[in-house]
Amino acid sequence: MSTRFSLRSALGDFPAYVPGKPPAGAPGLTPFKLSSNEHHLPPLPGILDVIAAAGEVPASYPDPKATGLVGDIAAYAEVDTAEVVPGAGASEVLSALTNITLEAGTSVVYPWPSFEMYPILASARGAEKRAVPLLADGRHDFPGMAAQIDDTTRLVLLCSPNNPTGPSIRREEFEGFMAEVPPNVLVGLDEAYWEFSTDAEAVAGVEAYRTHPNLVVVRTFSKAHGLAGLRVGYGIADPEVAAALRQVVAPFGVTAGAQAAARESLARVDEVLVRAKEIAAVRDRFAEDLRRLGCHVPDAQGNYVWIALDDADAVAFEDACASRAVAIRRLQGGVRVSIGPDEALDRVTAVAAELLGSGETADDSGRAAAAEPGDSGRPAAAEPADAD
């Protein structure tokens, strides 16, 4: 990295974080953004009111400890307030977790592909990145991850449901893996999408934390609660770890409006969970439509679906969706499609039928329908590619 100033050489190693693209315009079509896993339903009643009320005195700093919010989270999770760490989104909590564990000469183990911030944060701390390729079904390779842990390892990151591929981590595999992790090594369980999971065997982070003191559960209000624009998340950790996290989290990071909105949303968590399961039902139908068209879609447990594709097909798929005013997320090994309105998903299904369909086609609404005899399509999508 060449520069006129005295900057860290590690900056040359940073992978770039690329946010989801906005949709391109197309004549006569409503644009839809399905590239950032945002909640597409309107806010719950009352949310906008508390945000407005909290912003009536913008000159005042917010409560730096987010006392009320921390108390509400602790009551909801049935933990002590000393175990709760608020942050400006789950990303800030993850950043703090790497900040208290990683430095030059240490290593971090994580699945790949997974949340793009993991290698960025590891690079920022000067740690060795040990990315373990996912299995062919999009799940964590736990034996492979365990084999990468050594005396230099300070942190392991897990993602359930995994972003971008979709599967949740199951209790049996999680417990088997934790038995292999030294008790002094912290394990961050990123549960940004846990509310959407309908897998009865999925590990429950807070329950697992009660028996694994080296586990740090990371959650967010961005996804199921629909508050991504306000930046509020939290971690649940052993009080010693939580105290260390609070040392490195930026003060006043969670604004007054974000605290108020998160508290109001948590007070209505039953409604949040109902809406999450409604989105999950749409997700399941969408995933099944794609599978019937010949797409390789792993078990989907977040508010998105992963379509495994080789690079050329992924580019073609993204471009075809863009021509229909739908933005999706192209990543190495495939494309990720967030769950949105039916009209948007129908357009994506129609693209899949045109580009990847094998054995079925899509009707006018975009839903999968049986193909006429003699129809032929391209081969099913490739397995997820290994990533750096």
Side-chain angles (χ1 to χ4, degrees), residues 95-112:
S95 178
L97 185 55
T98 62
N99 209 2
I100 67 170
T101 54
L102 302 179
E103 57 192 342
T106 67
S107 65
V108 56
V109 177
Y110 54 88
W112 198 254

Side-chain angles (χ1 to χ4, degrees), residues 41 273-283 285:
L41 299 178
L273 295 176
V274 166
R275 299 201 325 165
K277 295 308 183 283
E278 290 172 352
I279 290 171
V282 174
R283 171 203 69 206
R285 292 195 297 270

